[in-house]
Amino acid sequence: MRRLMLLIPLIVVAAMRSVAVPLTTEPKDSVVRGDRKVMKAVREVVREFDRTDNDYIEPPHYELCLELRAQRNFEDFVLSSNGQSIMFSPDQRVKVGPYFGWRWIFLGTTFDLRNIQLFGNSAKREFDFSIYSSQIGVDLFYRRTGSDYKMRDVKMGYGIDGSLLEDVPFDGISVGLTGVNAYYIFNHHHFSYPAAFSPGTIQKISCGSWLAGAGFTKNTLTLDFDKLKSVVESRLGSDIEVKLDSGMMFNSVDYNDFSLSGGYAYTWVLMKNLSFCASGQAALSYKTSLGKMTDEKDGFNFGKVNLDGIGRFALVYNNIKWYLGACAILRTNNYHTTRFTANNIYGTFNAYIGYNFMLKKRYRKK
């Protein structure tokens, strides 16, 4: 009996352990299994972005790349009202700099060799960041034009020689854009956008794809009308009577741009490792704005649909280890009111040479 009494506590402890083990380990195991399922699903989603048909597209063999890039930005901004129009454009300069790439992402910077400044002109800011995966593309952009515009093509009306105003500096206008644009590539298994604009993959067979996307842009436009009037009058002289249209009499306009876009892209394989890609997207943009006119205290409101566009072109040679090429991206941004029209055309031309390194495991010789 005494032995039985001594065994009872041991039996109770053993029983408690036998009950406690399933209660503590089963939830933990289920959580681990659940986490594994989630991670597997995430990996599958990420892999799907780069899953392609190897008969059409040669996948990237390397993890990283280093690139030297020469860049030239160009821009024309046309302001017009009732038959008068002025084109503003800054002097174009070539900038050079290094870029570093990993899979979908390219980051880097460029410097104006004639005027190297670590942080550039405090009033002028340009930042473009693009992600090119097989399935989706994303553009992020931030632009502040600074005050280095010049008047180029000027039309003041009948009998007035606008050429007297051409190439005259004018720092009384500034344009700003901040936005994001995302698009889907339908035929992503056979057509590779990264092969043209983010060299890593190689397009082996000529192919194309439809594109569809959406975007949002916040725009700002400021104009010193008094300064513009003073410059025009001083250049044309007192003998010529010219009156700027009242439609240009505004201080600033801020507007939001919501857009839906569609288009097509095609890559021609000219020879082994050499290809040319061209794509275009038209965007229906709904623009809501609040502007302040010099002769209107309360400003004006408008909501209107405009047609914008974006074009991309690239010529690239890629032999897996090395690549070189050139690409151009051109954007248009238009908006209209009953008083004036503003058309902004801007873009970037890049020439580059790059080197891929850090070979992926599956391509290493065993």
Side-chain angles (χ1 to χ4, degrees), residues 177-250:
L177 299 96
T178 305
V180 58
N181 178 51
Y183 51 92
Y184 182 81
I185 303 163
F186 287 92
N187 189 22
H188 54 272
H189 293 299
H190 298 144
F191 170 81
S192 176
Y193 235 157
F197 298 99
S198 179
T201 61
I202 300 174
Q203 188 79 43
K204 297 194 289 187
I205 300 176
S206 298
C207 191
S209 176
W210 290 101
L211 313 171
F216 169 79
T217 307
K218 182 175 179 59
N219 303 260
T220 60
L221 168 64
T222 61
L223 175 68
D224 188 331
F225 178 80
D226 292 332
K227 181 176 289 189
L228 177 62
K229 182 179 178 181
S230 176
V231 170
V232 170
E233 291 176 347
S234 65
R235 295 292 297 188
L236 294 180
S238 58
D239 295 336
I240 301 176
E241 184 178 355
V242 60
K243 183 178 181 181
L244 287 173
D245 190 81
S246 61
M248 298 185 186
M249 297 176 62
F250 63 88

Side-chain angles (χ1 to χ4, degrees), residues 23-209:
L23 289 176
T24 56
T25 59
E26 284 184 0
K28 183 177 180 180
D29 291 342
S30 63
V31 170
V32 170
R33 288 195 297 270
D35 289 343
R36 288 175 179 173
K37 290 180 179 179
V38 172
M39 292 302 297
K40 184 178 180 181
V42 171
R43 283 196 298 268
E44 286 299 315
V45 171
V46 173
R47 287 171 182 169
E48 182 61 28
F49 286 125
D50 274 334
R51 186 169 284 127
T52 58
D53 186 336
N54 290 351
D55 291 334
Y56 282 78
I57 301 169
E58 181 69 27
H61 290 212
Y62 294 88
E63 295 284 358
L64 306 173
C65 74
L66 188 62
E67 180 180 296
L68 179 63
R69 180 178 300 186
Q71 182 180 90
R72 181 172 180 174
N73 295 332
F74 49 90
E75 177 181 15
D76 288 332
F77 184 86
V78 181
L79 184 64
S80 58
S81 178
N82 292 328
Q84 293 184 342
S85 67
I86 305 175
M87 176 187 289
F88 299 93
S89 178
D91 289 331
Q92 309 302 327
R93 294 183 177 181
V94 176
K95 297 183 287 184
V96 178
Y99 273 71
F100 179 79
W102 173 76
R103 295 192 178 182
W104 310 331
I105 301 172
F106 268 75
L107 294 173
T109 187
T110 55
F111 302 94
D112 185 348
L113 297 181
R114 293 185 298 177
N115 184 25
I116 296 179
Q117 298 180 22
L118 184 59
F119 298 104
N121 186 327
S122 60
K124 191 178 184 70
R125 290 284 184 267
E126 296 180 11
F127 173 79
D128 288 280
F129 174 68
S130 296
I131 297 176
Y132 295 103
S133 75
S134 297
Q135 193 170 1
I136 62 170
V138 179
D139 298 321
L140 300 173
F141 47 91
Y142 174 90
R143 301 182 70 250
R144 295 297 182 269
T145 59
S147 56
D148 57 350
Y149 280 108
K150 290 183 178 180
M151 290 186 280
R152 305 294 183 180
D153 185 15
V154 182
K155 295 180 176 62
M156 287 288 101
Y158 180 76
I160 299 177
D161 186 4
S163 64
L164 296 174
L165 292 166
E166 292 180 4
D167 296 327
V168 174
F170 181 68
D171 60 359
I173 187 172
S174 64
V175 181
L177 299 96
T178 305
V180 58
N181 178 51
Y183 51 92
Y184 182 81
I185 303 163
F186 287 92
N187 189 22
H188 54 272
H189 293 299
H190 298 144
F191 170 81
S192 176
Y193 235 157
F197 298 99
S198 179
T201 61
I202 300 174
Q203 188 79 43
K204 297 194 289 187
I205 300 176
S206 298
C207 191
S209 176

Side-chain angles (χ1 to χ4, degrees), residues 196-362:
F197 298 99
S198 179
T201 61
I202 300 174
Q203 188 79 43
K204 297 194 289 187
I205 300 176
S206 298
C207 191
S209 176
W210 290 101
L211 313 171
F216 169 79
T217 307
K218 182 175 179 59
N219 303 260
T220 60
L221 168 64
T222 61
L223 175 68
D224 188 331
F225 178 80
D226 292 332
K227 181 176 289 189
L228 177 62
K229 182 179 178 181
S230 176
V231 170
V232 170
E233 291 176 347
S234 65
R235 295 292 297 188
L236 294 180
S238 58
D239 295 336
I240 301 176
E241 184 178 355
V242 60
K243 183 178 181 181
L244 287 173
D245 190 81
S246 61
M248 298 185 186
M249 297 176 62
F250 63 88
N251 292 323
S252 66
V253 174
D254 298 331
Y255 72 91
N256 295 326
D257 181 341
F258 304 89
S259 64
L260 295 176
S261 62
Y264 193 79
Y266 195 88
T267 294
W268 291 267
V269 178
L270 306 177
M271 57 180 291
K272 184 179 180 181
N273 300 330
L274 179 65
S275 62
F276 174 75
C277 179
S279 75
Q281 288 177 266
L284 285 177
S285 301
Y286 178 77
K287 306 186 180 186
T288 59
S289 173
L290 175 64
K292 298 179 181 179
M293 311 296 286
T294 57
D295 58 350
E296 292 183 5
K297 295 182 180 180
D298 297 331
F300 65 93
N301 294 292
F302 70 87
K304 196 170 183 180
V305 174
N306 291 270
L307 185 64
D308 296 330
I310 178 171
R312 305 173 197 260
F313 309 90
L315 177 68
V316 59
Y317 174 82
N318 189 346
N319 67 1
I320 299 178
K321 188 69 174 179
W322 291 88
Y323 63 90
L324 61 93
C327 68
I329 301 176
L330 180 67
R331 303 174 189 272
T332 65
N333 192 341
N334 309 300
Y335 54 96
H336 309 272
T337 74
T338 57
R339 304 188 60 165
F340 72 93
T341 298
N343 300 315
N344 192 197
I345 302 174
Y346 61 97
T348 303
F349 174 81
N350 293 311
Y352 53 83
I353 182 170
Y355 175 73
N356 296 307
F357 61 98
M358 193 177 290
L359 194 65
K360 293 184 176 182
K361 289 183 179 180
R362 64 177 176 270

